[in-house]
Amino acid sequence: SGLAQTGAWGCFDEFNRISVEVLSVVAGQYLTILDGIRSKKTLFTFEEDEITLNPTVGAFITMNPGYAGRQELPENLKSLFRGVTMMVPDREIIMKVKLTACGYKDASLLAKKFNVLYALCEEQLSKQAHYDFGLRNILAVLRTAGSSKRNEVEKAEQELLMRTLRDMNLSKYVSEDVPLFMSLLDDLFPGLRAEKQKHKEVEGAIAQAVKDMGLQYHEEWVLKVVQVYEMCLVRHSIMHVGPSGVGKSRIVETLHKSLMLVKADQNLPPMVGQPHRELRMNPKAITAPQMFGCLDVIANEWTEGIFAQLWRKANKDRKNFTWLMLDGPVDAIWIENLNTVMDDNRILTLANNDRIPMLRPNVTLGFEVEDLRNASPATVSRAGVIFISELDLGFMPYVRTWLASQSAKGFAELLEPLFSEKMDAIIEFVRNECRSRMQCSTIALMTSMCNLIDGLLKDLAPSDNGASFDQTGVERVFMYTTCWSVAGILETDDRTKFDAFLRTMFHGMPEVEGTDTIYEYTIDAAKMSWVHWGERIPDWAYTGTELAVDFPKLVIPTIDSARTLYNLERTSAMNRAVLLVGGPGTAKTSSILQVLAKQDPTTTMFKKISMSGASTPLIFQKTIEGSIEKRQGKTFGPPGGKNMIVFVDDISMPQINNWGDQPTLEILRQLVEQGGLYNLQKPGEIMQIVDLLVVGCMLHPGGGKQDIPNRAKRHFHVMNVTLPSMTSIQMIFGRLVALMYPEDGGLDAELLAMSGKLVELTVNVWESTKAKMLPTPAKFHYIFNLRDLSRVFHGIFMCNASTVKDEHTLLALWKHEAMRVFSDRLVNADDKKWFEDTVNNALVETCGSSKASKLKGDVSFVDFLQPPGEDPESGEELPAPKLYEPAGSVDVVKGVITSYMKKFNESNKLHSMDLVLFEDAMLHFMRVSRLLAMPRGNALLVGVGGSGKQSLSRLSAFISGYSTFQIKLSPTYGVADFKLDLMALYNKVGLKSEPTVFLFTDQQIFKESVLVYFNNFLSSGVIPDLYNDEDKDTVINGVRNEVKAAGLLDTRDNCWAFFIDKVRANLHVIMCMSPVGDTFRVRCRKFPALSGCTTIDWFMHWPQEALISVAARFLEDVEMETPEHRAACGEHMAFVHESVGTSAAQYKASLRRNVYTTPKSYLELIALYKQMLAAERARVSTQTTRLETGLIKLRESSEQVADMQFKLTEESAVVAVKSKETDLLIIEVGKESNIAADESEKAAIEEEKVTLIQTEVSAFQAQCLLDLAAAEPALKAAEDALNLLDKNSLTELKSLGTPPPAVLKVTAACAYMLAPVGTNLKKLDVSWNAGKKMMGSPEQFLQQLLNFDKDNLWVEAKDNWVRNYTGPPDKPDPEFTYENMATKSKAAAGLCAWVVNICIYHDIFLDVEPKRIKLAEAEKTLKDANDRLVVVRKRVQDLNDKCAALQQQLSDATDEKNRLIEKAESTAKRLNLAERLVNGLKDEGVRWTHGVDELKAQLGRLVGDILVTASFIAYIGPFNMSFRQRMINEQWIPDVRARGIPSSDSIVPVKMLSGEATVAEWNSQGLPADALSIENGAIITQCSRWPLIVDPQLQGVTWIKQREEKNGLVVTGLGAKGYIDKVIRAMQEGLPILLENIGENIDAVLEPVIARSFIKKGRKLMIKIGDAELDVMSAKDADGMATEYPAFKMYIQTKLPNPHYIPEIQAQTTMINFTVTEKGLEDQLLNVVVNKERPDLEEARMALVEQQNQFTIKLKELEDDLLYRLATAEGDILSDEDLIISLEVTKVTVTEINVKVKEGKVTEDKINEAREAYRPTAARGSIIYFLLNQLNVIDHMYQFSLGAFNFIFSKALNKAEATEEGLKVRCNTLLDSVQYTIFSYVTRGLFERHRLIFSCLLTMKVLQSSGELLQEEIDLLIKAPKNLDRENPCSVWLLDAAWFSVVALSSQEAFANLPQDVEGSWKRWKEWIESEQPEKMPLPQEWKRLRGFQ
């Protein structure tokens, strides 16, 4: 982008170091720029951005092709650049010019010699990666020659150049090339002997430095020091190349000290006499970002790398001369990043654009490497190379230096001749005559030997270090240490050879017996004599109680263990790293752990690290850092000032990278060699680690096992741990057997005798198995070691001696255990048969044929047959006792397992199971149960998914009383979560002592590194980074009491070890793995404990008997005509399953596509069959019922037609009579109606009068009522006032002695109001006493007031007396008020209010009363008027009633008449409808009658039809069309008929699954119309498992999107942001979901969804993802009720053309091959061509197709609607006119559609006929596309999408030239244009070497499609078969191979006579063959008439 905008030129150096994928993108980008320049654009679109374009932009690429780490540029990039080859220049001219410039007078001659010498060196010297004769080397030599000329002007020029050439090149040659090089120099410079250039000061300083350092002055080695110095003068980058241990590091160290010893002088180079320092790092111990630096993209922060920091430090230091040494293997990645440093730029360029120049001469960049195999010539040429070989140093200088350090000089003097005189021969013998199990350098062997001697001296002569040893003693020490160092890497057989060889060299060898060698002897310290190791074996006695429980912890000392421990201790005591190598099970780990256990815990601690294929340098460094602490400065060490031994188990396991290096071991080497690690938090700072020793162990390298780097190996004392001898094995297991079956135990004599033979019997079988069953890539786990031997005896010891009562039981037990340990891991029936025969033969040899014959067949022992106990107090069931005993009969075992399975299902609703316990399943179950019963019993169950591994494991754990744990994957689940789960599990089993099974499957491997934890657990139980210090303290404190109770010291280490032992005893790991592909093998190789520390149980394919029994079990509830049919169905299912497996193998062989069948697939087939059969039976029954109902309705209608005709005649006559009667009644009703009308007029006049009176009375009445209403408030107020009074208030009033005057007024007023009429009011006593008397009884007084006759109040009393107190109405007394009285008395106030309001009421009443009297009179008048009106109305009513009766009579007569008319009309109408219905559906009646018969017959045939259809859905999807047809028509259908299963004559599964209407709808939604696509559509819509669609051309996914769009399709992809949330939402809302473009793996989080693991909880449907239980919307049935099936539908799609899905995924999904077919693509391309050439034709066709599809769909809808209406019509169908009319319309529509369909067929034929003219073009395009699809076999880069192809195809059609010469010519033009355009497009992207292949294939495909070329002829050309039946009669001139090919060719008809003709006319054929170009000559005779290909 930048170059394009600025117009700058860019040079891209080493461009081909970029990956091919990126280069391809770059090509596209640069092409965009070039296209813009050609189009003369100023603005153009670049990577979706519009930028400016400067046309002066240019790009140049410089690169070195063909080196490691380089790519070949893709053709699309090559085509954009002009290739310019940089030729090798004329080096002689360059040499001549340079020499002349340096002052050489004879430059021409010297340049010629120089050039010839290098040319000869390139041709004749050996090819070494570090040899360089290029221009950079030449220039360095010329610079040195110029310096020599200036310094020694007087010397001869030839001598100067010859010396320079010798000294500058000799240093890099291997020893074998030195003599040849010197000979070449002598030939070019004859007789010239140039002295070596002298560096007096420096060479003298080197000698002094060697002395000061205590080294030996070895001239060849010192010469290398000088050569390094000389190289430093002319090169700033130096490579020290050579094998390990040749002193490369010492050379640099010596040179440092030497240069510092010399006094500085201006005549000497600047580095001389200056202080020097060294910065050393191993670039392979860290990653490239850690080395150079990295940019945090998120934070945009740059982190400096270690090398970058060291580089900065070195180049800032001007006081010191810094040597920056990169000490590690070279690869083409990190060293290429230093190219700018090593070349003349001398600049380090970092990714953050920092450029740090080199400070010369203060800085020298050095490399210490073993070889330069991965370095490119460009890299080698940039540095000066110094090669140091083993011969330059040898081993004696080291030995002499070591001897010089010995304090006992006499011992050293005696020992030195042995090394110098004997050791060469010993080493030669070991290397040439013996087979070392590991190759070690000589110096490494010598170092180990010297260290072992030091350790031995501390044991044998601790006081004088061997000063008192004589010659014999020294020789014995020499021989012993030689055996365990130089020859310590030999196996037993080679040790015997070595023993014999030593006896020829020494006379003090021990006297041996039998097969013993010197290796069985050690040196006695007291006598310095040989003593047998057998005398040094420690005593051992078993102190436990349960041998089977303690067995894994037992360590029985043997000769092998005793000597290994002794040598290990002696070497480690000298702080020498030790490496034990040996086969599996040779006690390597155990030996080291024993040594570690002997260490004093107060001074020494240890750390165990288990390596695996996932170990990385970072993990190793973090582990080490976690065990050390800072001491002072940059020094670190173990905590507490202790020493630490780091035990690295399986040290060779770290993965080897692409360059052949093991970075993890490089950091280990750095730790051992440099004593430190670089601080990753502070780059450039090294942590020096002290007091640390490394010991390790590993398997023998070779046979798939890795070696470790030589430079790391050199620091170890390597000892081979051999397999124990037979004597040792007999001793180990013999003692254990004797413990189990003691002679004094009162056991059967035969039993005891046989127990003594068990070890020999087992070893014989073990040896035979090891020899026969060898590992292969497919059987990589066929490794049988001592662990397997011990597992056999462990199993034997699980059975109590009381159970084994006789010899037969013991042998049965032994056979069972041998079969479990050895046979269960075998992968096929042949191997198992061989092993069983081997066991039986061994039994025959041991105990005779009669006893052995009783043991033939399966023998099983189990521990779960004992019945459970019962608590005597509570009655609760107790766990069943575990007794390992013979299994007995199969039925008994099956019954016990079944009962436990029922209990399991009761307690585990989530994982309930319904297992079919066939024989194989029970055997696997018993095997798993056996492992769980064993302490530390762990299982590796290997089998394809669905084999029952998990179910059997759960059930076994349940029976054993263990809980089962499985991790719960979620979208965020990671390693940290796994560690938390694992820690919780450890605490559960270790602290709470709860036995648990950890069930883990390969589907749960969310990250490969998680297997590291299993590897560590299985091998040792210790997982290094699981617990932090705080958690570890919690654990230790948790088991402290148990440790004390066990009688152990509760030290921290003891508590931790006790905890780990408990974990290993209580936690059983069961790993379920699939053997498919290389993944399982690679995992077991990277993590050896997976297979080495588990017992393998290999689940093979279910046998046919198992398949049949499972089918029979699940088909029990399926209704069949006969039991024989049910059995036949089960047998057919088993046949289908096995036939699919066979077809899958053929499919893979022919098309390289992987298809798998698993037991889960088989179970899915059975479930699908049952589901489909039930659904189809229901559908057919429903359809039959509907048709029968329709026929019944038609039959009833036909029968009713005649009845309705007779009935209609009778009803017509009755209607006529009723019509006459009704007419007469109408006349009478008219007369009566007139009379009633007259009377009604009279009544109306009277009613008007009454109404007027009523109006007047009503008005007066309303006025009276209004006046009375005015009195109501006063009356209400009076009542309210009385309500305020009560007994207490009145009593209180009475109690007043002298009431206030106002109160007296109130009582007086009351007295006057209550006075009876006629009372003398003047004399009325109104005093207070009278008032109290009046209120005598408060209740009566109050009642009197309430009942007061207010209407008849005495007017006189009111007006004349009461008003005196209240005041007149218009002016009331203000004091006589309620409010005023209330201040005096509450009772008085109430009485006052009563009086006032009663008066007011009475005043109004007196005004209203006259009006009331008048109202009464008016009401009386009104009553009289109303009485008169009633009489009048009655008269009128009588008349009206009479009229109404007559009217009703008339109405009834009319209704009856109308009813009869309607009835007659209805009858006529029904008759008409019946006739129309019967006549209209006459044809349907015939068809439906036939349909009913057919459906009833079909119902019986469904058993077989659905059987084939279900198999079609379950299995057929992954196959192509040819395989599908072959399987269905040639295998499945014939088998169904052969077994007599009812079925149709022609079974077409796709027609069973979809009708024409359905297919038409699919086509309208975008599904291609070819047969394969339609089949795929049927499978997708009907399958019960989620469809997994292999859809590289995206045809299937396009259809699904259109089909489900209306249903709210959710589209996402694995890894898309929030895709899990989308899946969850779709499940909860019942939406379809599409997972598109997945890879070959499916996220483990989705496993419950893919496996459809739905849980039914009440009415809810749930699914568990991780720990969360999520709701899932349920599908609804026809009644709207929720079902057990989810409402959502999931589609899974991949674009991969040939994905390899593991069996588990294929079992959980329905895999469907949607890859476009050649015929299908041809039809699609035909549409494209016709659409281009005849758009009218294509439009007509598309419209017709759409119309025909709609017609088909409509016909189906109308048919269904017709039947539905008939079936659901209620009551009399003939009364439903709408129904009849609808049926008639439907019938008319169907007729019209049928006519249009026929017309459409004719039109379609015409269109197709016109379209066929263009088919050859489409066919050619289809052929080419399918050829393109096969090009990826040549190179994976050749990938062509269908979309891109269609684009080019359309482009080719557009490019075709127009023509007027007719359709045929036009079609040929189109064909040529398509072929040429696509050919050009494809070949542009092909490598040159592949273009001819493509052209040839295309030609053959075209010829083959036209019938001009036969496939048989192509096969003959490619396979070139040979027929050896006839001898060669022309052997004189014709090769046998050619003759046999001629004979083979005669199998073809065209060449039938070729052998006879060649033999008969041999002269002509001989002449033709011997011509110069026979391929261009015509063939002899008539053979010249053959077609071209022939």
Side-chain angles (χ1 to χ4, degrees), residues 689-813:
I689 302 175
V690 298
D691 299 334
L692 184 141
L693 176 67
V694 176
V695 296
C697 65
M698 59 175 280
L699 295 173
H700 290 143
K705 308 298 188 299
Q706 299 169 177
D707 200 349
I708 65 174
N710 292 325
R711 300 193 69 192
K713 195 188 306 178
R714 183 179 72 83
H715 298 285
F716 289 91
H717 179 182
V718 181
M719 287 189 288
N720 181 41
V721 182
T722 60
L723 283 172
S725 63
M726 289 301 107
T727 304
S728 297
I729 293 175
Q730 287 280 0
M731 183 193 74
I732 295 170
F733 296 110
R735 293 174 73 175
L736 294 175
V737 171
L739 286 172
M740 193 71 184
Y741 303 104
E743 292 184 1
D744 55 355
L747 300 175
D748 181 68
E750 290 185 351
L751 173 62
L752 281 175
M754 184 51 64
S755 68
K757 299 178 182 179
L758 283 184
V759 177
E760 181 184 358
L761 182 61
T762 309
V763 169
N764 290 340
V765 172
W766 176 57
E767 291 283 359
S768 300
T769 306
K770 282 200 303 178
K772 175 67 176 178
M773 296 296 170
L774 299 175
T776 66
K779 306 173 183 178
F780 65 93
H781 60 291
Y782 276 21
I783 299 173
F784 304 94
N785 51 52
L786 279 176
R787 288 195 187 103
D788 301 299
L789 206 59
S790 65
R791 287 182 184 128
V792 174
F793 287 99
H794 190 185
I796 292 173
F797 298 152
M798 286 172 59
C799 193
N800 295 332
S802 58
T803 303
V804 184
K805 298 179 180 178
D806 53 31
E807 180 187 19
H808 174 78
T809 307
L810 178 62
L811 289 174
L813 174 62

Side-chain angles (χ1 to χ4, degrees), residues 30 56 137 149 253 262 335 404 733 745 803 845 854 875 992 1119 1148 1201 1376 1537 1573 1590 1640 1644 1657 1682 1759:
Y30 195 58
T56 62
N137 177 270
K149 178 67 175 175
E253 184 182 352
V262 180
I335 200 166
F733 296 110
T803 303
E845 293 174 4
K854 297 178 182 178
K992 299 179 182 178
E1119 183 182 349
K1148 182 176 183 180
V1201 168
F1376 200 88
R1537 291 172 180 157
S1573 298
V1590 180
E1640 291 189 343
K1657 287 190 174 181
E1759 173 84 5

Side-chain angles (χ1 to χ4, degrees), residues 440-476:
C440 296
S441 65
T442 303
I443 194 67
L445 297 176
M446 290 301 101
T447 307
S448 299
M449 183 173 177
C450 293
N451 273 273
L452 184 57
I453 292 175
D454 286 337
L456 203 61
L457 290 178
K458 286 192 174 184
D459 183 52
L460 300 179
S463 58
D464 60 4
N465 283 333
S468 59
F469 288 179
D470 57 9
Q471 180 70 34
T472 303
V474 172
E475 286 187 358
R476 285 176 177 165

Side-chain angles (χ1 to χ4, degrees), residues 167 362 1326 1816:
D167 295 345
N362 289 53
V1326 291

